[in-house]
Amino acid sequence: MRSPREISTARIAERLAAQKSDVKLKFDVSVFAEDLNQAGPLARAVEDLGFDGLWVAEAAHNPFLPLSHAALATQRITLGTAIAVAFPRSPMIMAQTAWDLAANSQGRFILGLGTQIKPHITKRFSSRWGRPVKQLREYIESLRTIWSSFQTGAGLNYDGEFYRFSLLTPDFAPPPMPYSRIPIFIAGVNSGLAKLAGEQCDGFHVHSFHTPRYLREELLPAFQAGRRASGRRDRLTLSCAVFVVSGIDDESVEASKQLTKSQIAFYASTPSYRKVLELHGWTDLIPRLNTLLRRNRWTEMHRLISDDMLAEFAVIAPPDELPYALREQYAGLLDRAGFYFPFEPEDDVKRIIWQHAAKAMEL
């Protein structure tokens, strides 16, 4: 079993400095939109700490509204969704929202899209669920067709299986702007969406429920296949909020381990994520987790995640070593990374992590 890294911060920094020219990992912060009135100050704090970007997730609140506040409060960091659920929103509505945020942020906005899963799309959003990879492909094509019409004034014409657009009068088209090439990231776990990202997208949000081995052996070949199929030569940017375990004493480390194991167990119980478990030979875990789910024994699920499994999914290190350990583990795999826990600058332990993340970015 791997234990928390017993490598000093100085030694990790020394090794990273030696390969400085090859390691370009950027550090980002991911947040859930909770208090719209705090979106501006929070974004300023992220920028002041030296981070490269701010991602807003969609859960109980709209992910776009905080970014309009963040755009006005910052000057440097990139701003994006990680993710916004695509299918419940018309591509036209999504195109308008992204266009306005790109203009608002002066080109710093990244549109991150996700498919969600069928029960949420059909039962929570009362929206259409077809073949998600094909549907998302058309969604992306529609967005780019609409943006091209916005920018050039050309007639709107897209005819697909899921989406059709043929009308855009001048009164309903925004004027051209300098930031019309809006980057699109998509998120996913399996190779189908990874290949689509390679074909169509500028970036990919790697799901936190992954292992470096899964990323290396399953997702990277799919990204490469997509790039070859499309003929694109630009680099696909890979971003992820990584599972981490940290603490200043044994008690806090154990609490962090239990929380992260609970998160891993929750995702492992999702049928569409089983490929990660299959790669590692952990499929016997699925029926056991599903049994606990059916019995509403949520608080027991983390017990099925061993320390060995945890060490495959999470970066484990003390607060002052965590950013360096993450950077070392994902060098050459990710382009942008963050931590899978809330951004709380007032928290003393997390403040240590943020401070060292800023130092890690300077290496």
Side-chain angles (χ1 to χ4, degrees), residues 88-251:
R89 297 178 171 95
S90 161
M92 178 61 75
I93 293 173
M94 187 74 80
Q96 289 176 317
T97 302
W99 190 266
D100 290 343
L101 282 171
N104 190 33
S105 64
Q106 297 184 315
R108 293 182 286 133
F109 175 68
I110 298 172
L111 178 61
L113 300 173
T115 61
Q116 249 296 345
I117 58 176
K118 183 178 180 179
H120 283 265
I121 297 300
T122 60
K123 297 178 181 180
R124 180 159 68 97
F125 291 107
S126 188
S127 295
R128 183 182 181 186
W129 178 270
R131 298 189 300 280
V133 175
K134 180 175 176 55
Q135 187 174 352
L136 190 59
R137 179 191 301 278
E138 288 193 10
Y139 200 102
I140 294 166
E141 292 172 348
S142 297
L143 286 173
R144 294 213 169 104
T145 300
I146 294 166
W147 288 334
S148 177
S149 292
F150 287 173
Q151 187 69 8
T152 66
L156 180 60
N157 183 22
Y158 183 85
D159 187 12
E161 177 183 345
F162 296 93
Y163 302 104
R164 295 178 178 86
F165 296 94
S166 59
L167 176 66
L168 183 64
T169 58
D171 287 344
F172 294 100
M177 66 163 180
Y179 316 109
S180 61
R181 183 61 177 88
I182 301 170
I184 297 176
F185 285 32
I186 62 173
V189 176
N190 296 316
S191 58
L193 286 171
K195 186 173 185 292
L196 176 62
E199 292 180 23
Q200 296 279 342
C201 299
D202 304 284
F204 187 83
H205 287 303
V206 178
H207 200 290
S208 302
F209 184 74
H210 78 279
T211 66
R213 179 184 169 191
Y214 184 80
L215 176 54
R216 189 178 295 109
E217 296 182 17
E218 295 291 329
L219 296 185
L220 289 182
F223 298 143
Q224 292 161 1
R227 276 298 196 252
R228 287 195 300 270
S230 67
R232 290 184 60 161
R233 295 180 176 274
D234 57 314
R235 180 177 176 82
L236 183 74
T237 299
L238 302 185
S239 172
C240 183
V242 177
F243 285 138
V244 295
V245 173
S246 191
I248 58 173
D249 52 36
D250 291 344
E251 183 179 355

Side-chain angles (χ1 to χ4, degrees), residues 55-76:
W55 300 104
V56 178
E58 179 165 21
H61 299 277
N62 182 290
F64 296 107
L65 296 179
L67 292 174
S68 65
H69 290 249
L72 296 176
T74 60
Q75 296 181 334
R76 176 185 56 81

Side-chain angles (χ1 to χ4, degrees), residues 262-281:
S262 296
Q263 293 161 340
I264 293 168
F266 168 74
Y267 287 122
S269 69
T270 304
S272 57
Y273 298 169
R274 68 177 291 134
K275 286 286 188 181
V276 182
L277 303 178
E278 287 176 352
L279 179 67
H280 290 270

Side-chain angles (χ1 to χ4, degrees), residues 277-328:
L277 303 178
E278 287 176 352
L279 179 67
H280 290 270
W282 295 330
T283 51
D284 61 314
L285 186 68
I286 298 172
R288 297 160 64 197
L289 286 169
N290 288 337
T291 297
L292 292 178
L293 271 176
R294 287 193 300 271
R295 296 175 181 175
N296 292 320
R297 292 162 61 179
W298 297 86
T299 58
E300 299 176 34
M301 291 173 63
H302 74 276
R303 298 175 185 170
L304 298 182
I305 308 300
S306 68
D307 285 350
D308 286 342
M309 288 183 65
L310 178 67
E312 293 291 339
F313 280 102
V315 177
I316 305 172
D320 62 338
E321 297 179 14
L322 189 63
Y324 309 100
L326 187 152
R327 179 169 175 158
E328 183 181 40

Side-chain angles (χ1 to χ4, degrees), residues 35-49:
D35 185 350
L36 191 59
N37 293 319
Q38 293 301 313
L42 183 147
R44 276 196 300 274
V46 170
E47 185 165 87
D48 290 344
L49 283 166

